[in-house]
């Protein structure tokens, strides 16, 4: 199955890597270019060359030279790191050294912005116009950054407002009606208080056109963000950093471009019925990316992020504390994948649309349409009609629809105390807490004649896009962590450091699918008739069937579940200069 990234912005610029730039300079220029790079990979500031870990750093200068605006821009500059956008704007999958994230799951890396760990991965896929530095740590980072940091960590530092008033404005445009605008104003409010406000807007029609709808709705994208920052420094020992960010996205969602690769089937049916059935086998190297879905995919997202951070000097020690609140609501609806499984082949809309398109009687096309999969003349519902053999995302109604919601609200805080960095023996200790309330729901629906997706998880029979299969769960998680780090300079050239973290995660899940009422048929859309002749209905979701799930509650609901995990993550590092 072939697919292209959809619902995301793109750019047509070439990127120049920092390494290539340095290699192009004469030897006499090295001293003028190579300056000391300060990083915070180990929760404190130190020179990059002193970090006993694999760290790639993109400074503000290198980000500007490479024209970095989105995450895909800087990912291209980092060896061993890739990313994929194929589902929706909030489900970016990042691969670090072969460890990949999974769709509809939490990320496999830690994401830290200005020292604050953000639990929701949607904030990774944003504009990076206000960025001062990006550090990419490769390899497990659970000892310092905790859960889900098995692949690595991204540490982002944004520009701090200064005591000088300034404004920035950046605008760009490109092919496919791609426009981007970033604006920022910053400066002092008083001798101890500084502010920064800004925003960004981006829109694009995308690379591809839906040739059936004759519209640019395959990978179109539009979003905006507004944000503000306030820094209060009443003394040299105290700094308070307050930030707020709100954003919206209106984009496309999944759009596959499917083709069969079944040479043996093509040989059999090709000999029997003619060359048209060689569509059972198509060379992927010559496949034309002509998108034909009859539904305009939609991906909507709203996000709110509030953070507060305190840096306080307590005698000889450094105290850091922060709190973060995030609320993200997102959903997408698009064509379904059921055409590959035949879920809706008996639906009247499937039979009618496939017949009209194949015979050329659909008013939206001028003649018979060459579909990305063959048709067979077979008996259907007692009559001799066209029955489809389809993949997903066709102009017929045979593939149904799909709709998903993923809403997450989380609250987290951390407090840590560190010794002076000037001592030969250094230490750091901290506490972390995270609460996540996450609701995830997915349905498959019967595609009606209106060729739309209703933004609702549960739709009874008789209404447009009635739900045929439904998953709907609410997850509640509480995470507690204790962590620390010790570092000892053994002589002038050797440092030995030990970091460790203990995590405890308590998770509960509640199934929200309502029970079926066989008497009225209300909310029985997720059921199919009992083919064994026993009457009643059999749920498509086995978890709702007493024959498969003996733990169903008396009201027909799936019983809530809970589980607790404990994890200890140590890390030993030795640095020898």
């Amino acid at each position: 199955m072939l697919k292209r990234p959809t619902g995301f912005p793109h750019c047509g610029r070439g990127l120049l890597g920092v390494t290539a730039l340095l290699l192009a300079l004469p030897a006499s220029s090295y001293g003028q270019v190579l300056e000391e790079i300060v990083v915070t990979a180990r929760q404190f500031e130190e020179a990059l060359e002193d970090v006993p870990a694999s760290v790639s750093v993109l400074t503000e200068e290198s980000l500007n030279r490479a024209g970095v605006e989105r995450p895909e821009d800087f990912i291209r500059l980092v060896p061993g790191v890739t990313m994929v956008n194929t589902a929706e704007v909030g489900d970016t999958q990042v691969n670090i050294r072969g460890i990949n994230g999974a769709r509809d799951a939490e990320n496999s890396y830690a994401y830290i912005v200005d020292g604050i760990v953000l639990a929701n991965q949607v904030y990774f896929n944003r504009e990076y116009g206000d960025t001062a530095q990006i550090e990419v740590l490769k390899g497990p980072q659970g000892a310092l950054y905790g859960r889900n940091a098995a692949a690595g960590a991204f540490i982002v530092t944004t520009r701090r407002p200064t005591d000088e008033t300034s404004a920035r404005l950046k605008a760009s445009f490109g092919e496919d009606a791609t426009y981007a605008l970033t604006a920022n104003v910053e400066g002092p409010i008083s001798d101890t208080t500084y502010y920064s406000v800004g925003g960004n807007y981006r829109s694009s029609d995308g690379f591809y056109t839906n040739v059936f709808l004759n519209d640019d709705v395959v990978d179109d994208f539009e979003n905006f963000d507004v944000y503000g920052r306030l820094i209060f420094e009443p003394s040299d020992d105290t700094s308070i950093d307050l930030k707020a960010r709100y954003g919206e996205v209106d984009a496309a969602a999944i759009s596959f471009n499917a083709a069969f690769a079944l040479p043996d089937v093509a040989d059999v049916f090709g000999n029997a019925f003619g060359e048209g059935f060689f569509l059972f086998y198509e060379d992927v190297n010559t496949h034309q990316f002509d998108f034909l879905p009859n539904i305009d995919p939609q991906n909507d997202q709203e996000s709110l992020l509030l953070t507060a951070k305190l840096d306080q000097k307590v005698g000889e020690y450094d105290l850091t504390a922060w709190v973060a609140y995030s609320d993200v609501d997102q959903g997408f609806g698009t064509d379904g994948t059921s055409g590959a499984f035949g879920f809706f082949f008996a639906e009247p809309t499937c039979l009618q649309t496939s017949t009209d398109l194949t015979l050329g009687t659909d008013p939206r096309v001028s003649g018979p349409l060459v579909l990305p999969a063959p048709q067979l003349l077979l008996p259907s519902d007692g009559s001799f009609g066209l029955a489809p053999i389809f993949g997903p995302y066709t102009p017929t109604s045979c593939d149904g629809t799909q709709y998903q919601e993923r809403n997450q609200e989380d609250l987290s805080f951390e407090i840590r105390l560190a010794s002076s960095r000037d001592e030969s023996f250094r230490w750091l200790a901290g506490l972390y807490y995270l609460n996540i309330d996450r609701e995830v729901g997915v349905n498959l629906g019967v595609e009606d004649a209106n060729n739309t997706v209703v933004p609702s998880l549960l739709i009874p029979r008789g209404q447009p896009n009635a739900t045929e299969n439904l998953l709907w769960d609410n997850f509640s998680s509480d995470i507690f962590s204790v962590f620390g780090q010790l570092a000892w300079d053994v002589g002038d050239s050797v440092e030995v450091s030990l970091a460790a973290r203990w995590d405890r995660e308590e998770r509960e899940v509640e199934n929200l699918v309502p029970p079926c009422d066989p008497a009225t048929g209300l909310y029985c859309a997720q059921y199919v008739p009992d083919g064994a002749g026993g009457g009643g209905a059999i749920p498509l979701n086995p978890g709702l069937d007493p024959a498969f799930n003996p733990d169903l509650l008396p009201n027909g609901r799936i019983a809530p579940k809970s589980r607790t995990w404990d994890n200890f993550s140590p890390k030993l590092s030795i640095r020898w200069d």
Side-chain angles (χ1 to χ4, degrees), residues 233-473:
E233 296 178 335
S235 69
D236 294 338
D237 295 335
T238 304
S239 177
I240 300 174
D241 190 351
L242 306 176
K243 292 196 296 182
R245 188 182 192 96
Y246 176 80
E248 292 186 9
V249 174
D250 181 8
I254 312 173
S255 288
F256 283 95
N257 204 273
F260 286 110
L262 305 171
D264 294 337
V265 177
D267 289 342
V268 173
F269 286 100
N271 292 334
F273 296 104
E275 292 187 1
F277 284 85
F278 277 104
L279 286 175
F280 270 124
Y281 178 52
E282 182 179 356
D283 186 348
V284 296
N285 297 305
T286 59
H287 177 78
Q288 298 298 314
F289 278 91
D290 293 329
F291 289 86
L292 297 170
N294 57 341
I295 288 180
D296 176 4
Q298 296 295 323
N299 177 196
D300 299 310
Q301 180 190 106
E302 293 185 16
S303 61
L304 173 66
L305 177 63
L306 305 173
T307 65
K309 183 170 178 279
L310 168 68
D311 289 291
Q312 178 68 50
K313 193 75 173 179
V314 182
E316 299 179 354
Y317 308 120
D318 295 318
L319 175 68
T320 301
W322 58 259
V323 61
Y325 170 78
S326 167
D327 187 9
V328 178
D329 296 327
Q330 58 184 1
F332 77 82
T334 183
D335 237 336
T337 59
S338 300
F341 309 103
F343 288 167
F344 304 130
F345 285 178
E347 292 290 334
T349 54
C350 168
L351 298 171
Q352 186 63 50
T353 55
S354 59
T355 299
D356 289 344
L357 289 169
T358 305
L359 298 181
T361 55
D362 190 304
R364 293 167 295 184
V365 295
S366 58
L369 186 67
V370 178
L371 298 174
Q375 297 277 302
L376 284 177
L377 290 170
L378 296 173
S380 178
D381 289 342
S383 63
F384 195 78
L386 284 166
I389 300 176
F390 284 144
Y393 299 86
T394 69
T396 74
S397 295
C398 300
D399 42 20
T401 64
Q402 60 176 308
Y403 176 73
Q404 172 175 303
E405 288 184 2
R406 191 193 306 116
N407 306 321
Q408 178 172 317
E409 186 177 10
D410 56 74
L411 176 67
S412 58
F413 69 81
E414 181 177 281
I415 182 170
R416 60 181 185 265
L417 189 66
S419 65
S420 171
R421 304 310 307 166
D422 298 329
E423 303 295 331
S424 61
F425 183 81
R426 301 172 297 278
W427 56 266
L428 177 150
L431 301 173
Y432 173 79
Y433 170 76
L434 169 65
N435 173 264
I436 298 177
D437 186 10
R438 178 182 174 94
E439 182 180 324
V440 179
V442 183
N443 74 30
L444 300 181
V446 180
E447 185 178 325
D448 64 11
N450 295 324
N451 302 325
T452 59
V453 180
V454 179
S456 177
L457 285 174
L458 186 60
I459 306 172
R461 271 287 187 176
Q463 297 186 16
N465 297 123
T467 306
E468 276 290 341
N469 195 7
L470 177 66
L471 304 174
W472 192 6
D473 297 291

Side-chain angles (χ1 to χ4, degrees), residues 73-398:
D73 298 333
F74 77 79
I75 289 293
R76 295 189 184 103
L77 303 175
V78 183
V81 182
T82 59
M83 64 175 287
V84 175
N85 282 329
T86 58
E88 56 177 318
V89 70
D91 198 15
T92 301
Q93 299 170 38
V94 178
N95 183 305
I96 304 177
R97 287 184 170 178
I99 300 179
N100 194 26
R103 184 185 168 194
D104 295 332
E106 296 181 61
N107 46 272
S108 60
Y109 56 88
Y111 184 58
I112 302 98
V113 178
D114 293 327
I116 297 176
V117 181
L118 301 183
N120 198 322
Q121 64 185 9
V122 304
Y123 295 109
F124 179 83
N125 197 356
R126 66 174 182 88
E127 300 288 324
Y128 283 79
D130 60 343
T131 304
Q133 183 166 291
I134 299 176
E135 305 165 35
V136 183
L137 280 72
K138 304 169 188 177
Q141 305 298 326
L144 281 181
Y145 297 110
R147 64 195 301 270
N148 299 339
F154 293 91
I155 303 175
V156 177
T157 303
T158 62
R159 284 193 298 265
R160 290 171 58 95
T162 66
D163 57 359
E164 295 184 3
T165 300
S166 63
R168 296 182 181 90
L169 178 64
K170 180 180 180 180
S172 63
F173 65 92
E175 60 183 359
D176 302 314
T178 300
Y179 306 98
L181 177 67
T182 300
N184 176 271
V185 178
E186 63 183 47
I189 296 177
S190 67
D191 292 339
T192 59
T193 307
Y194 313 94
Y195 77 95
S196 174
V197 293
N200 55 257
Y201 173 81
R202 179 181 295 269
S203 67
S204 175
D205 286 347
F207 282 118
Y208 294 97
T209 298
N210 184 312
V211 297
F212 181 74
L213 298 177
N214 192 28
D215 200 356
D216 296 322
V217 294
V218 177
D219 56 343
D220 54 312
F221 178 91
E222 183 178 25
N223 90 298
F224 75 85
D225 295 280
V226 291
Y227 47 86
R229 186 175 188 180
L230 189 66
I231 295 180
F232 178 54
E233 296 178 335
S235 69
D236 294 338
D237 295 335
T238 304
S239 177
I240 300 174
D241 190 351
L242 306 176
K243 292 196 296 182
R245 188 182 192 96
Y246 176 80
E248 292 186 9
V249 174
D250 181 8
I254 312 173
S255 288
F256 283 95
N257 204 273
F260 286 110
L262 305 171
D264 294 337
V265 177
D267 289 342
V268 173
F269 286 100
N271 292 334
F273 296 104
E275 292 187 1
F277 284 85
F278 277 104
L279 286 175
F280 270 124
Y281 178 52
E282 182 179 356
D283 186 348
V284 296
N285 297 305
T286 59
H287 177 78
Q288 298 298 314
F289 278 91
D290 293 329
F291 289 86
L292 297 170
N294 57 341
I295 288 180
D296 176 4
Q298 296 295 323
N299 177 196
D300 299 310
Q301 180 190 106
E302 293 185 16
S303 61
L304 173 66
L305 177 63
L306 305 173
T307 65
K309 183 170 178 279
L310 168 68
D311 289 291
Q312 178 68 50
K313 193 75 173 179
V314 182
E316 299 179 354
Y317 308 120
D318 295 318
L319 175 68
T320 301
W322 58 259
V323 61
Y325 170 78
S326 167
D327 187 9
V328 178
D329 296 327
Q330 58 184 1
F332 77 82
T334 183
D335 237 336
T337 59
S338 300
F341 309 103
F343 288 167
F344 304 130
F345 285 178
E347 292 290 334
T349 54
C350 168
L351 298 171
Q352 186 63 50
T353 55
S354 59
T355 299
D356 289 344
L357 289 169
T358 305
L359 298 181
T361 55
D362 190 304
R364 293 167 295 184
V365 295
S366 58
L369 186 67
V370 178
L371 298 174
Q375 297 277 302
L376 284 177
L377 290 170
L378 296 173
S380 178
D381 289 342
S383 63
F384 195 78
L386 284 166
I389 300 176
F390 284 144
Y393 299 86
T394 69
T396 74
S397 295
C398 300

